[in-house]
Amino acid sequence: MKAAQITSYGDAVDVLRINDVDRPAPGAGEVLVRVEASSVNGHDVIVRSGEMKIVSGRRFPLGTGLDFAGVVTGSGTGVEGSRVGERVWGTVHPRQRHIIGGAAEYVVVPADRLAPAPTALSAAEAASLVVAGATALIAVRDTVRLAPGEKVLVRGAAGGVGTAAVQLAHALGCHVTALARARHAPALTDLGADEVLDHGSTTSDRIGPFDVVVDTVGTELNCYRSRLAKGGRMVTVGLSAPALAAIAASSVYGARRVRTFSANPDATVLRALADHVTSGALRPVVNSVHPLACVPHNSAA
């Protein structure tokens, strides 16, 4: 079978290859999925660039692709129920070394890392929502505990996590301010943003205050944290070494510190995500679709 693999750390065109590999076999508690679609996420880019080599190591090849949508074709012992033929979506574990990731023709994952995919979505639409949608859901529901009627700023609102956060906040009845490039304003308004600010001409000191700030960029964290209202909360999913330092330093602000988390969605989160899709609160935003063979030339730099 074919799988996209990282042969060393570097730029996508230089180090991503489509290789022939053996089809994996499911072990105890695992499920084999024929992948129909996978998406490119920020985590994939960070791993491929070498920024996470302390975790991913220096043994190659490495699989790429955190998420997938596809059809169950087999399972190992201990998997309850017959799932063969079921359309599912899920993830591989982000902190484990994988020779085969979601960007492959088949993938094996533990049964508790997938759930039935929403029937109304195509495979590409479903894959576009798995990691991005789950990350947004954990951020607003669990990390900052967004409440109806609050004023929310979504920074980096045009990205995968941002578009999902805008929709989830809108569905909750919040006043949503989206910060993104001006050209994305019509699309973000359509997704539920009450106000769209051009990040190129908007500085943090001229906006707010907000009850909640959802950041997907990972820079200027203290500047945006300062725009919180009394009792406000902030979460970032844009992690880097400077961002981690800023998060640690913000602990002196107590409840108004910058929060973060490890987005590692299991079946429970994926089922909740599917419920939001089914209810109409969340819909996918797909920029472009490419065959597996073109992954090295169409992955984010």
Side-chain angles (χ1 to χ4, degrees):
M1 72 169 205
K2 303 289 185 181
Q5 294 181 313
I6 302 167
T7 58
S8 63
Y9 295 125
D11 294 336
V13 174
D14 297 329
V15 305
L16 273 175
R17 296 288 182 271
I18 307 301
N19 293 330
D20 290 308
V21 299
D22 293 333
R23 182 184 300 180
E30 294 182 329
V31 174
L32 176 66
V33 177
R34 176 172 55 79
V35 177
E36 295 181 327
S38 180
S39 67
V40 178
N41 293 283
H43 178 275
D44 304 315
V45 178
I46 291 172
V47 169
R48 189 253 303 150
S49 69
E51 292 183 45
M52 292 184 63
K53 66 178 67 174
I54 191 171
V55 176
S56 54
R58 296 179 179 274
R59 289 186 299 154
F60 298 98
L62 284 173
T64 189
L66 270 184
D67 52 25
F68 58 85
V71 178
V72 174
T73 60
S75 61
T77 59
V79 177
E80 295 183 4
S82 176
R83 308 181 70 161
V84 173
E86 184 178 23
R87 292 189 70 248
V88 295
W89 60 358
T91 66
V92 299
H93 198 294
R95 294 188 299 276
Q96 292 180 349
R97 185 180 188 279
H98 297 278
I99 295 176
I100 301 171
E105 293 181 326
Y106 288 85
V107 67
V108 161
V109 296
D112 62 2
R113 296 195 65 82
L114 48 76
T119 57
L121 301 185
S122 68
E125 290 172 331
S128 74
L129 273 177
V130 178
V131 167
T135 300
L137 180 61
I138 294 169
V140 302
R141 182 191 67 179
D142 304 330
T143 308
V144 294
R145 298 181 183 274
L146 191 60
E150 291 191 303
K151 294 182 178 180
V152 184
L153 172 68
V154 180
R155 183 177 178 229
V161 177
T163 54
V166 166
Q167 294 179 76
L168 292 171
H170 171 75
L172 199 56
C174 296
H175 182 280
V176 184
T177 299
L179 186 60
R181 289 185 174 89
R183 70 173 185 268
H184 297 301
L188 289 167
T189 300
D190 183 57
L191 292 175
D194 297 284
E195 182 180 16
V196 182
L197 303 178
D198 178 12
H199 88 98
S201 60
T202 303
T203 57
S204 61
D205 61 328
R206 300 177 64 182
I207 58 175
F210 300 99
D211 299 302
V212 170
V213 174
V214 178
D215 172 80
T216 73
V217 182
T219 61
E220 302 180 86
L221 296 182
N222 194 53
C223 294
Y224 285 92
R225 191 209 61 78
S226 70
R227 306 319 298 161
L228 290 175
K230 184 179 180 179
R233 294 91 66 207
M234 178 174 174
V235 60
T236 183
V237 301
L239 297 184
S240 63
L244 291 173
I247 292 166
S250 76
S251 62
V252 299
Y253 296 102
R256 296 175 74 245
R257 69 190 184 278
V258 181
R259 297 164 168 84
T260 192
F261 60 93
S262 175
N264 188 18
D266 58 13
T268 301
V269 173
L270 294 172
R271 290 191 183 97
L273 192 67
D275 289 341
H276 284 291
V277 173
T278 301
S279 72
L282 184 63
R283 66 181 192 264
V285 178
V286 178
N287 181 51
S288 59
V289 179
H290 307 276
L292 179 62
C294 295
V295 165
H297 299 281
N298 291 283
S299 294

